[in-house]
PDB file of all heavy atoms in Angstrom:
ATOM      1  N   ALA C  24      95.099 148.320  48.578  1.00 85.00           N
ATOM      2  CA  ALA C  24      95.738 147.463  47.576  1.00 85.00           C
ATOM      3  C   ALA C  24      97.257 147.580  47.642  1.00 85.00           C
ATOM      4  O   ALA C  24      97.977 146.570  47.618  1.00 85.00           O
ATOM      5  CB  ALA C  24      95.235 147.821  46.178  1.00 85.00           C
ATOM      6  N   ALA C  25      97.745 148.820  47.745  1.00 85.00           N
ATOM      7  CA  ALA C  25      99.202 149.027  47.815  1.00 85.00           C
ATOM      8  C   ALA C  25      99.772 148.413  49.088  1.00 85.00           C
ATOM      9  O   ALA C  25     100.839 147.796  49.076  1.00 85.00           O
ATOM     10  CB  ALA C  25      99.513 150.509  47.750  1.00 85.00           C
ATOM     11  N   LEU C  26      99.038 148.583  50.200  1.00 86.00           N
ATOM     12  CA  LEU C  26      99.498 148.025  51.462  1.00 86.00           C
ATOM     13  C   LEU C  26      99.565 146.504  51.380  1.00 86.00           C
ATOM     14  O   LEU C  26     100.567 145.890  51.776  1.00 86.00           O
ATOM     15  CB  LEU C  26      98.559 148.458  52.594  1.00 86.00           C
ATOM     16  CG  LEU C  26      98.888 147.879  53.961  1.00 86.00           C
ATOM     17  CD1 LEU C  26     100.109 148.583  54.539  1.00 86.00           C
ATOM     18  CD2 LEU C  26      97.705 148.024  54.904  1.00 86.00           C
ATOM     19  N   SER C  27      98.514 145.880  50.856  1.00 87.00           N
ATOM     20  CA  SER C  27      98.488 144.424  50.756  1.00 87.00           C
ATOM     21  C   SER C  27      99.630 143.905  49.901  1.00 87.00           C
ATOM     22  O   SER C  27     100.266 142.892  50.230  1.00 87.00           O
ATOM     23  CB  SER C  27      97.147 143.961  50.169  1.00 87.00           C
ATOM     24  OG  SER C  27      96.078 144.298  51.024  1.00 87.00           O
ATOM     25  N   ALA C  28      99.914 144.610  48.811  1.00 87.00           N
ATOM     26  CA  ALA C  28     101.003 144.188  47.934  1.00 87.00           C
ATOM     27  C   ALA C  28     102.343 144.259  48.646  1.00 87.00           C
ATOM     28  O   ALA C  28     103.163 143.335  48.546  1.00 87.00           O
ATOM     29  CB  ALA C  28     101.010 145.040  46.671  1.00 87.00           C
ATOM     30  N   GLN C  29     102.582 145.342  49.384  1.00 85.00           N
ATOM     31  CA  GLN C  29     103.848 145.496  50.093  1.00 85.00           C
ATOM     32  C   GLN C  29     103.989 144.468  51.218  1.00 85.00           C
ATOM     33  O   GLN C  29     105.057 143.886  51.414  1.00 85.00           O
ATOM     34  CB  GLN C  29     103.956 146.906  50.674  1.00 85.00           C
ATOM     35  CG  GLN C  29     104.216 147.977  49.623  1.00 85.00           C
ATOM     36  CD  GLN C  29     105.321 148.935  50.054  1.00 85.00           C
ATOM     37  OE1 GLN C  29     106.326 148.522  50.611  1.00 85.00           O
ATOM     38  NE2 GLN C  29     105.109 150.209  49.763  1.00 85.00           N
ATOM     39  N   VAL C  30     102.912 144.261  51.961  1.00 88.00           N
ATOM     40  CA  VAL C  30     102.968 143.296  53.060  1.00 88.00           C
ATOM     41  C   VAL C  30     103.224 141.897  52.520  1.00 88.00           C
ATOM     42  O   VAL C  30     104.050 141.144  53.037  1.00 88.00           O
ATOM     43  CB  VAL C  30     101.666 143.339  53.879  1.00 88.00           C
ATOM     44  CG1 VAL C  30     101.635 142.193  54.892  1.00 88.00           C
ATOM     45  CG2 VAL C  30     101.542 144.676  54.602  1.00 88.00           C
ATOM     46  N   ALA C  31     102.500 141.529  51.476  1.00 84.00           N
ATOM     47  CA  ALA C  31     102.649 140.186  50.909  1.00 84.00           C
ATOM     48  C   ALA C  31     104.047 139.952  50.366  1.00 84.00           C
ATOM     49  O   ALA C  31     104.558 138.828  50.395  1.00 84.00           O
ATOM     50  CB  ALA C  31     101.614 139.977  49.808  1.00 84.00           C
ATOM     51  N   ALA C  32     104.691 141.015  49.881  1.00 84.00           N
ATOM     52  CA  ALA C  32     106.022 140.863  49.292  1.00 84.00           C
ATOM     53  C   ALA C  32     107.137 140.816  50.326  1.00 84.00           C
ATOM     54  O   ALA C  32     108.236 140.346  50.024  1.00 84.00           O
ATOM     55  CB  ALA C  32     106.276 142.018  48.316  1.00 84.00           C
ATOM     56  N   SER C  33     106.877 141.310  51.540  1.00 84.00           N
ATOM     57  CA  SER C  33     107.982 141.469  52.483  1.00 84.00           C
ATOM     58  C   SER C  33     107.788 140.805  53.835  1.00 84.00           C
ATOM     59  O   SER C  33     108.757 140.431  54.495  1.00 84.00           O
ATOM     60  CB  SER C  33     108.229 142.964  52.732  1.00 84.00           C
ATOM     61  OG  SER C  33     107.061 143.596  53.229  1.00 84.00           O
ATOM     62  N   LEU C  34     106.545 140.652  54.265  1.00 91.00           N
ATOM     63  CA  LEU C  34     106.278 140.177  55.621  1.00 91.00           C
ATOM     64  C   LEU C  34     105.751 138.750  55.593  1.00 91.00           C
ATOM     65  O   LEU C  34     104.837 138.447  54.845  1.00 91.00           O
ATOM     66  CB  LEU C  34     105.254 141.115  56.290  1.00 91.00           C
ATOM     67  CG  LEU C  34     104.834 140.770  57.713  1.00 91.00           C
ATOM     68  CD1 LEU C  34     106.022 140.794  58.647  1.00 91.00           C
ATOM     69  CD2 LEU C  34     103.749 141.744  58.188  1.00 91.00           C
ATOM     70  N   ARG C  35     106.335 137.900  56.403  1.00 93.00           N
ATOM     71  CA  ARG C  35     105.930 136.494  56.414  1.00 93.00           C
ATOM     72  C   ARG C  35     105.374 136.027  57.755  1.00 93.00           C
ATOM     73  O   ARG C  35     104.477 135.193  57.786  1.00 93.00           O
ATOM     74  CB  ARG C  35     107.145 135.616  56.069  1.00 93.00           C
ATOM     75  CG  ARG C  35     107.685 135.813  54.663  1.00 93.00           C
ATOM     76  CD  ARG C  35     106.736 135.248  53.619  1.00 93.00           C
ATOM     77  NE  ARG C  35     107.247 135.370  52.272  1.00 93.00           N
ATOM     78  CZ  ARG C  35     107.019 136.402  51.468  1.00 93.00           C
ATOM     79  NH1 ARG C  35     106.273 137.407  51.909  1.00 93.00           N
ATOM     80  NH2 ARG C  35     107.541 136.457  50.262  1.00 93.00           N
ATOM     81  N   VAL C  36     105.900 136.536  58.853  1.00 96.00           N
ATOM     82  CA  VAL C  36     105.524 136.015  60.165  1.00 96.00           C
ATOM     83  C   VAL C  36     105.287 137.171  61.137  1.00 96.00           C
ATOM     84  O   VAL C  36     105.934 138.229  61.036  1.00 96.00           O
ATOM     85  CB  VAL C  36     106.620 135.078  60.718  1.00 96.00           C
ATOM     86  CG1 VAL C  36     106.351 134.676  62.169  1.00 96.00           C
ATOM     87  CG2 VAL C  36     106.742 133.827  59.848  1.00 96.00           C
ATOM     88  N   VAL C  37     104.364 136.970  62.072  1.00 97.00           N
ATOM     89  CA  VAL C  37     104.063 137.948  63.119  1.00 97.00           C
ATOM     90  C   VAL C  37     104.149 137.243  64.469  1.00 97.00           C
ATOM     91  O   VAL C  37     103.565 136.177  64.655  1.00 97.00           O
ATOM     92  CB  VAL C  37     102.671 138.568  62.942  1.00 97.00           C
ATOM     93  CG1 VAL C  37     102.466 139.699  63.951  1.00 97.00           C
ATOM     94  CG2 VAL C  37     102.470 139.079  61.529  1.00 97.00           C
ATOM     95  N   VAL C  38     104.888 137.866  65.394  1.00 98.00           N
ATOM     96  CA  VAL C  38     105.033 137.318  66.755  1.00 98.00           C
ATOM     97  C   VAL C  38     104.341 138.276  67.713  1.00 98.00           C
ATOM     98  O   VAL C  38     104.589 139.486  67.688  1.00 98.00           O
ATOM     99  CB  VAL C  38     106.521 137.174  67.131  1.00 98.00           C
ATOM    100  CG1 VAL C  38     106.649 136.550  68.526  1.00 98.00           C
ATOM    101  CG2 VAL C  38     107.257 136.345  66.098  1.00 98.00           C
ATOM    102  N   GLY C  39     103.463 137.737  68.546  1.00 97.00           N
ATOM    103  CA  GLY C  39     102.699 138.569  69.479  1.00 97.00           C
ATOM    104  C   GLY C  39     103.229 138.507  70.899  1.00 97.00           C
ATOM    105  O   GLY C  39     103.474 137.423  71.431  1.00 97.00           O
ATOM    106  N   MET C  40     103.414 139.694  71.503  1.00 97.00           N
ATOM    107  CA  MET C  40     103.811 139.792  72.913  1.00 97.00           C
ATOM    108  C   MET C  40     102.619 140.277  73.739  1.00 97.00           C
ATOM    109  O   MET C  40     101.767 141.020  73.252  1.00 97.00           O
ATOM    110  CB  MET C  40     104.973 140.761  73.070  1.00 97.00           C
ATOM    111  CG  MET C  40     106.281 140.301  72.466  1.00 97.00           C
ATOM    112  SD  MET C  40     106.989 138.899  73.355  1.00 97.00           S
ATOM    113  CE  MET C  40     107.440 139.682  74.922  1.00 97.00           C
ATOM    114  N   ARG C  41     102.607 139.853  74.988  1.00 95.00           N
ATOM    115  CA  ARG C  41     101.511 140.264  75.886  1.00 95.00           C
ATOM    116  C   ARG C  41     102.059 140.622  77.253  1.00 95.00           C
ATOM    117  O   ARG C  41     102.990 139.988  77.744  1.00 95.00           O
ATOM    118  CB  ARG C  41     100.490 139.128  76.030  1.00 95.00           C
ATOM    119  CG  ARG C  41      99.298 139.502  76.916  1.00 95.00           C
ATOM    120  CD  ARG C  41      98.348 138.329  77.068  1.00 95.00           C
ATOM    121  NE  ARG C  41      97.270 138.649  77.988  1.00 95.00           N
ATOM    122  CZ  ARG C  41      96.388 137.778  78.447  1.00 95.00           C
ATOM    123  NH1 ARG C  41      96.451 136.508  78.043  1.00 95.00           N
ATOM    124  NH2 ARG C  41      95.441 138.136  79.291  1.00 95.00           N
ATOM    125  N   ARG C  42     101.468 141.649  77.827  1.00 90.00           N
ATOM    126  CA  ARG C  42     101.760 142.011  79.210  1.00 90.00           C
ATOM    127  C   ARG C  42     100.602 141.521  80.071  1.00 90.00           C
ATOM    128  O   ARG C  42      99.463 141.957  79.908  1.00 90.00           O
ATOM    129  CB  ARG C  42     101.913 143.526  79.323  1.00 90.00           C
ATOM    130  CG  ARG C  42     102.152 144.013  80.739  1.00 90.00           C
ATOM    131  CD  ARG C  42     102.381 145.506  80.717  1.00 90.00           C
ATOM    132  NE  ARG C  42     102.453 146.056  82.056  1.00 90.00           N
ATOM    133  CZ  ARG C  42     102.699 147.330  82.323  1.00 90.00           C
ATOM    134  NH1 ARG C  42     102.908 148.170  81.322  1.00 90.00           N
ATOM    135  NH2 ARG C  42     102.756 147.772  83.549  1.00 90.00           N
ATOM    136  N   TYR C  43     100.902 140.627  80.999  1.00 88.00           N
ATOM    137  CA  TYR C  43      99.874 140.000  81.822  1.00 88.00           C
ATOM    138  C   TYR C  43      99.550 140.877  83.035  1.00 88.00           C
ATOM    139  O   TYR C  43     100.351 141.742  83.431  1.00 88.00           O
ATOM    140  CB  TYR C  43     100.329 138.614  82.268  1.00 88.00           C
ATOM    141  CG  TYR C  43     100.492 137.647  81.128  1.00 88.00           C
ATOM    142  CD1 TYR C  43     101.721 137.498  80.477  1.00 88.00           C
ATOM    143  CD2 TYR C  43      99.411 136.909  80.658  1.00 88.00           C
ATOM    144  CE1 TYR C  43     101.872 136.630  79.411  1.00 88.00           C
ATOM    145  CE2 TYR C  43      99.553 136.023  79.589  1.00 88.00           C
ATOM    146  CZ  TYR C  43     100.781 135.897  78.970  1.00 88.00           C
ATOM    147  OH  TYR C  43     100.924 135.037  77.906  1.00 88.00           O
ATOM    148  N   PRO C  44      98.372 140.672  83.667  1.00 83.00           N
ATOM    149  CA  PRO C  44      97.976 141.518  84.800  1.00 83.00           C
ATOM    150  C   PRO C  44      98.976 141.537  85.952  1.00 83.00           C
ATOM    151  O   PRO C  44      99.073 142.517  86.673  1.00 83.00           O
ATOM    152  CB  PRO C  44      96.638 140.891  85.227  1.00 83.00           C
ATOM    153  CG  PRO C  44      96.090 140.277  83.981  1.00 83.00           C
ATOM    154  CD  PRO C  44      97.293 139.757  83.248  1.00 83.00           C
ATOM    155  N   ASP C  45      99.722 140.437  86.147  1.00 81.00           N
ATOM    156  CA  ASP C  45     100.679 140.384  87.247  1.00 81.00           C
ATOM    157  C   ASP C  45     102.019 141.022  86.899  1.00 81.00           C
ATOM    158  O   ASP C  45     102.969 140.971  87.686  1.00 81.00           O
ATOM    159  CB  ASP C  45     100.901 138.945  87.709  1.00 81.00           C
ATOM    160  CG  ASP C  45     101.479 138.049  86.603  1.00 81.00           C
ATOM    161  OD1 ASP C  45     101.743 138.552  85.501  1.00 81.00           O
ATOM    162  OD2 ASP C  45     101.658 136.837  86.868  1.00 81.00           O
ATOM    163  N   GLY C  46     102.120 141.631  85.693  1.00 79.00           N
ATOM    164  CA  GLY C  46     103.333 142.321  85.298  1.00 79.00           C
ATOM    165  C   GLY C  46     104.256 141.502  84.416  1.00 79.00           C
ATOM    166  O   GLY C  46     105.202 142.042  83.836  1.00 79.00           O
ATOM    167  N   ARG C  47     104.012 140.190  84.312  1.00 86.00           N
ATOM    168  CA  ARG C  47     104.853 139.357  83.446  1.00 86.00           C
ATOM    169  C   ARG C  47     104.641 139.747  81.988  1.00 86.00           C
ATOM    170  O   ARG C  47     103.565 140.182  81.592  1.00 86.00           O
ATOM    171  CB  ARG C  47     104.516 137.879  83.621  1.00 86.00           C
ATOM    172  CG  ARG C  47     104.912 137.282  84.936  1.00 86.00           C
ATOM    173  CD  ARG C  47     104.547 135.790  84.977  1.00 86.00           C
ATOM    174  NE  ARG C  47     103.114 135.566  84.762  1.00 86.00           N
ATOM    175  CZ  ARG C  47     102.598 134.967  83.689  1.00 86.00           C
ATOM    176  NH1 ARG C  47     103.392 134.541  82.711  1.00 86.00           N
ATOM    177  NH2 ARG C  47     101.280 134.796  83.582  1.00 86.00           N
ATOM    178  N   ARG C  48     105.703 139.552  81.190  1.00 91.00           N
ATOM    179  CA  ARG C  48     105.626 139.776  79.757  1.00 91.00           C
ATOM    180  C   ARG C  48     106.080 138.511  79.051  1.00 91.00           C
ATOM    181  O   ARG C  48     107.035 137.869  79.502  1.00 91.00           O
ATOM    182  CB  ARG C  48     106.511 140.969  79.346  1.00 91.00           C
ATOM    183  CG  ARG C  48     106.105 142.296  79.959  1.00 91.00           C
ATOM    184  CD  ARG C  48     107.183 143.328  79.781  1.00 91.00           C
ATOM    185  NE  ARG C  48     106.784 144.650  80.212  1.00 91.00           N
ATOM    186  CZ  ARG C  48     106.803 145.085  81.460  1.00 91.00           C
ATOM    187  NH1 ARG C  48     107.223 144.277  82.418  1.00 91.00           N
ATOM    188  NH2 ARG C  48     106.417 146.305  81.766  1.00 91.00           N
ATOM    189  N   GLY C  49     105.429 138.180  77.958  1.00 95.00           N
ATOM    190  CA  GLY C  49     105.845 136.976  77.273  1.00 95.00           C
ATOM    191  C   GLY C  49     105.236 136.842  75.892  1.00 95.00           C
ATOM    192  O   GLY C  49     104.281 137.543  75.524  1.00 95.00           O
ATOM    193  N   VAL C  50     105.814 135.946  75.102  1.00 97.00           N
ATOM    194  CA  VAL C  50     105.262 135.624  73.778  1.00 97.00           C
ATOM    195  C   VAL C  50     103.925 134.947  73.991  1.00 97.00           C
ATOM    196  O   VAL C  50     103.809 133.967  74.728  1.00 97.00           O
ATOM    197  CB  VAL C  50     106.211 134.712  72.983  1.00 97.00           C
ATOM    198  CG1 VAL C  50     105.589 134.366  71.630  1.00 97.00           C
ATOM    199  CG2 VAL C  50     107.566 135.396  72.785  1.00 97.00           C
TER     200      VAL C  50
END
C-alpha cells in the first residue's frame, strides 16, 4: 500500500531499454 501510494504520487512514465543478441542497445 505504501509503495503504491508513493509510486502513484511521483512516477508517471517508464521507458524500457533492451540489449539485443547482436550487441545493439535501444529503447
Side-chain angles (χ1 to χ4, degrees):
L26 177 75
S27 296
Q29 287 226 40
V30 171
S33 58
L34 179 61
R35 295 289 182 269
V36 172
V37 186
V38 182
M40 292 291 292
R41 181 182 176 189
R42 177 176 173 177
Y43 295 92
D45 62 2
R47 291 181 301 113
R48 298 166 173 82
V50 178

